[in-house]
Amino acid sequence: MARPKVTIIGAGMTGSTTAHWLAAAELADIVLVDIVEGMPQGKGLDLLEAMPIIGSDVNIVGANDYEPTKDSDIVIITAGMPRKPGMSRDELLEVNAKIVKTVAEQAIQYSPNAIFIVLTNPLDVMTYLTWKVTGLPTHRVVGQAGILDSARMRAFVAMELGVSVENVHCYVLGGHGDSMVPLTRHSNVAGIPLNQILPPDRLAAIVERTRKGGGEIVSLLKKGSAFYAPSAALAQMVEAILKDKHLIVPASAYVNGEYGLKGFFFGVPTQLGRKGVEKIIEYDLNEEEMAALKKSAEHVQANIAKLEEILAKLG
Ligand code: APR
């Protein structure tokens, strides 16, 4: 049986680190695509040369064109500008819209049967754009954000309580930005809801740190944004899809009435398998949680309106 094929567009920090996780897990052959000449080829070859050491029989190539990406099972889009300190993800909208539009248009021509996973920010809007440009059915386009935001919250809770990260389950929904919605009632440590295990002030501090988690890394790095955790999250989604795991994770998926929302991509609990997004899980949310989710949805919708203006200008 042929090994699955995953194309990663954008061989920068996140793209190349994603390739690293996928290759180490022997999940798929990998094609790295970037506009910088030689860079994806160089990183691809370097990673390929690591395979004998770790004992992984996958093929990795780099390219500046899309021919080698032909018939990919999954296409990941990480191409675009990362944030600079003090910048919000929204400020990347115009520059990254142009990039994502170009790369999605090219990638779909070579891999019409692929599932597209988007990482470029502002995430929910770029996922919507990829769906529009590719013309794919909604279940074959999904954005990565919720696994990352939830993992950040899990890490903070594990540190606070001194328990294994494996015991901590957190669910962060909503748009990937400061309006994201960490669900403290649904998040738990070995089955005990977070709001029963942590005092309110500590819980509030963890929620706030989670919301600003990306910005915390950006201000520490000074150049570029987080890439280890975002790429690990991408690798988890790839594994869930290729192994048809029916894994439930928060991700940016097309909402069609769930949570009273319709017609755009937004962070919700999704079930991922070989066909892509198999279903959206609806939690029982209270009034306060629903209000926070609606507020976040309005933010994403406002950005989609801005995107439509940009697309109209681009023609
Ligand atoms: N085609 C292919 N690659 C492109 C294109 C394009 N049209 N435009 C830019 N790129 C490439 C860049 O050359 C660069 O190598 O995208 C890569 C982006 O990598 P980094 O600058 O290292 O950024 P990274 O940290 O990986 O973040 C990428 O993910 O998390 C988000 O906000 C982040 O939007 C950003 C994206």
Side-chain angles (χ1 to χ4, degrees):
M1 206 177 83
R3 244 190 312 272
K5 181 168 169 179
V6 175
T7 283
I8 303 170
I9 308 174
M13 298 308 288
T14 322
S16 57
T17 314
T18 304
H20 186 180
W21 295 112
L22 296 180
E26 209 173 28
L27 273 174
D29 288 337
I30 298 160
V31 184
L32 277 168
V33 179
D34 203 285
I35 37 163
V36 179
E37 274 181 38
M39 185 267 268
Q41 293 87 342
K43 287 190 177 179
L45 184 59
D46 186 15
L47 190 55
L48 181 80
E49 290 166 358
M51 294 304 102
I53 304 170
I54 63 168
S56 175
D57 281 303
V58 294
N59 191 30
I60 306 145
V61 293
N64 300 118
D65 67 321
Y66 288 77
E67 178 67 37
T69 71
K70 198 172 178 327
D71 293 332
S72 293
D73 295 284
I74 295 179
V75 172
I76 299 173
I77 299 179
T78 75
M81 297 278 293
R83 284 196 274 174
K84 296 192 175 70
M87 245 180 139
S88 80
R89 293 180 182 92
D90 296 348
E91 289 173 68
L92 299 169
L93 205 159
E94 184 148 5
V95 61
N96 283 350
K98 288 179 191 157
I99 295 173
V100 169
K101 181 172 183 286
T102 321
V103 305
E105 275 167 357
Q106 297 179 83
I108 189 67
Q109 289 175 32
Y110 289 89
S111 301
N113 299 316
I115 291 167
F116 279 61
I117 310 179
V118 183
L119 184 89
T120 305
N121 276 313
L123 187 271
D124 305 276
V125 190
M126 293 302 121
T127 310
Y128 174 88
L129 173 61
T130 301
W131 168 64
K132 265 199 99 166
V133 168
T134 56
L136 285 171
T138 52
H139 67 275
R140 295 229 325 261
V141 182
V142 61
Q144 187 301 118
I147 298 180
L148 168 66
D149 296 328
S150 304
R152 285 184 173 141
M153 187 167 168
R154 291 173 69 190
F156 302 148
V157 170
M159 279 193 280
E160 178 81 17
L161 295 173
V163 297
S164 166
V165 290
E166 290 189 79
N167 285 134
V168 186
H169 306 279
C170 293
Y171 301 93
V172 179
L173 307 188
H176 185 47
D178 295 349
S179 67
M180 68 179 74
V181 186
L183 290 179
T184 51
R185 273 192 322 131
H186 301 74
S187 302
N188 68 80
V189 176
I192 307 169
L194 275 197
N195 57 352
Q196 290 175 26
I197 208 168
L198 279 165
D201 61 324
R202 291 312 304 150
L203 189 51
I206 286 172
V207 164
E208 191 54 15
R209 192 173 178 193
T210 302
R211 285 209 177 101
K212 306 247 166 80
E216 183 178 3
I217 309 271
V218 171
S219 36
L220 286 168
L221 292 180
K222 315 251 176 2
K223 240 181 108 200
S225 53
F227 55 96
Y228 284 118
S231 57
L234 282 174
Q236 187 179 40
M237 291 170 84
V238 169
E239 183 183 29
I241 293 168
L242 292 180
K243 293 188 176 169
D244 199 21
K245 281 175 79 84
H246 315 297
L247 184 74
I248 297 168
V249 285
S252 189
Y254 186 87
V255 281
N256 193 19
E258 297 86 358
Y259 297 97
L261 306 168
K262 207 173 164 87
F264 57 104
F265 283 77
F266 192 59
V268 286
T270 60
Q271 184 175 303
L272 297 182
R274 193 62 192 86
K275 292 196 173 80
V277 177
E278 297 175 328
K279 71 163 97 133
I280 290 174
I281 315 295
E282 286 198 76
Y283 291 159
D284 179 20
L285 298 184
N286 64 26
E287 233 171 81
E288 194 188 332
E289 291 156 348
M290 202 52 129
L293 206 62
K294 287 252 146 71
K295 195 165 154 237
S296 182
E298 280 162 17
H299 187 88
V300 172
Q301 283 170 308
N303 272 337
I304 288 178
K306 280 188 208 154
L307 171 77
E308 297 288 7
E309 281 171 28
I310 294 166
L311 291 179
K313 264 196 268 164
L314 288 177

